[in-house]
Amino acid sequence: MELELELALAIALVLAVGSWTQEVFPKEAQTLNWSKFSGFWYIIAIATDTQGFLPPRDKRKLGASVVKMHKTGQLRVAIAFSRPQGCQSREVTLKKDRKRPVFRNTLKGVKGFHVLSTDYTYGLVYLRLGRAGNNYKSLLLFNRQNISSFLSLREFLDTCYILQLTKQATILPKDDSCAHTIRP
């Protein structure tokens, strides 16, 4: 009897998490207002399975991103991060996928840029990168200010758990000297 109850609870938990996973992942194409989402964002937290991406804890700084609709179906994204080699920035133009709510540029190694949720003061961005059989995933917590609310941090951590990035999650310190290298 006790084993049956444990099995029933385990199945209920798996079904609940499974249905939540389907709800969370990408819906932005239908409801996201890219004009409101465009602009400067601080990157408050990151979780990534990319080895060696982040510098040691004492050298980490806030990241930043500038997102802008370039043309219909094109998104220009600039990102600045504190890396082991120092502050680095990259800019890439992404094209809207015709069938999925995602922007990508596979020639530049960007397989997907998804906005999972936003209220336009914060944004939860799922970034898939890769080339030559190497695939990486990152979850970024964007915020218009250099601090974040408890609820958006909670959502970030919950999504890290779903993406199996919990061990690689970090909240970045408030040093914004790297972030301001791309501020418009």
Side-chain angles (χ1 to χ4, degrees), residues 17 37 50 75 79 111 126 147 162:
V17 170
F37 191 80
T50 308
L75 191 66
I79 291 183
K111 293 184 170 188
Y126 179 49
I147 58 170
I162 292 168

Side-chain angles (χ1 to χ4, degrees), residues 1 31 37 65 70 72-73 88 109 123 125-126 147 149 160 166:
M1 180 78 163
T31 60
F37 191 80
S65 182
H70 182 55
T72 302
Q88 295 182 340
V125 175
Y126 179 49
I147 58 170
S149 72
C160 285
T166 307

Side-chain angles (χ1 to χ4, degrees), residues 77 86 93 112 118 120 124 130 136-137 141 149 153-154 159 163 182:
V77 179
T93 300
T118 187
Y120 306 104
L124 196 58
Y136 305 102
K137 57 188 176 184
L141 178 58
S149 72
L153 283 172
R154 178 82 253 158
T159 308
L163 295 172
I182 63 166

Side-chain angles (χ1 to χ4, degrees), residues 53-164:
F53 181 80
L54 292 171
R57 289 192 184 279
D58 63 330
K59 299 199 188 272
R60 293 180 187 172
K61 300 175 182 182
L62 285 177
S65 182
V66 176
V67 178
K68 182 179 179 187
M69 278 307 272
H70 182 55
K71 298 178 189 173
T72 302
Q74 289 189 354
L75 191 66
R76 184 167 285 160
V77 179
I79 291 183
F81 264 112
S82 176
R83 302 284 309 275
Q85 306 83 1
C87 185
Q88 295 182 340
S89 63
R90 301 270 188 267
E91 184 174 316
V92 65
T93 300
L94 307 173
K95 293 182 181 176
K96 171 100 176 60
D97 187 291
R98 293 176 193 199
K99 297 179 183 177
R100 296 182 172 176
V102 63
F103 284 85
R104 65 180 83 230
N105 183 336
T106 53
L107 294 176
K108 298 284 186 177
V110 180
K111 293 184 170 188
F113 181 94
H114 305 267
V115 178
L116 300 180
S117 68
T118 187
D119 69 358
Y120 306 104
T121 63
Y122 87 96
L124 196 58
V125 175
Y126 179 49
L127 189 60
R128 292 181 306 114
L129 304 171
R131 282 193 198 162
N134 295 320
N135 294 304
Y136 305 102
K137 57 188 176 184
S138 298
L139 184 66
L140 308 171
L141 178 58
F142 283 19
N143 201 299
R144 298 289 185 186
Q145 305 295 317
N146 65 357
I147 58 170
S148 191
S149 72
F150 173 79
L151 292 176
S152 61
L153 283 172
R154 178 82 253 158
E155 184 178 357
F156 171 79
L157 292 172
D158 288 345
T159 308
C160 285
Y161 178 77
I162 292 168
L163 295 172
Q164 300 176 341

Side-chain angles (χ1 to χ4, degrees), residues 2-62:
E2 192 173 306
L3 181 60
E4 290 174 1
L5 181 60
E6 287 178 17
L7 184 58
L9 287 172
I11 290 171
L13 181 61
V14 167
L15 290 174
V17 170
S19 67
W20 188 47
T21 302
Q22 291 172 359
E23 288 175 17
V24 170
F25 294 98
K27 293 182 183 179
E28 79 271 3
Q30 295 81 20
T31 60
L32 188 68
N33 180 333
W34 284 103
S35 295
K36 286 174 71 174
F37 191 80
S38 293
F40 179 83
W41 294 93
Y42 287 101
I43 300 173
I44 302 294
I46 182 172
T48 184
D49 62 0
T50 308
Q51 297 296 319
F53 181 80
L54 292 171
R57 289 192 184 279
D58 63 330
K59 299 199 188 272
R60 293 180 187 172
K61 300 175 182 182
L62 285 177

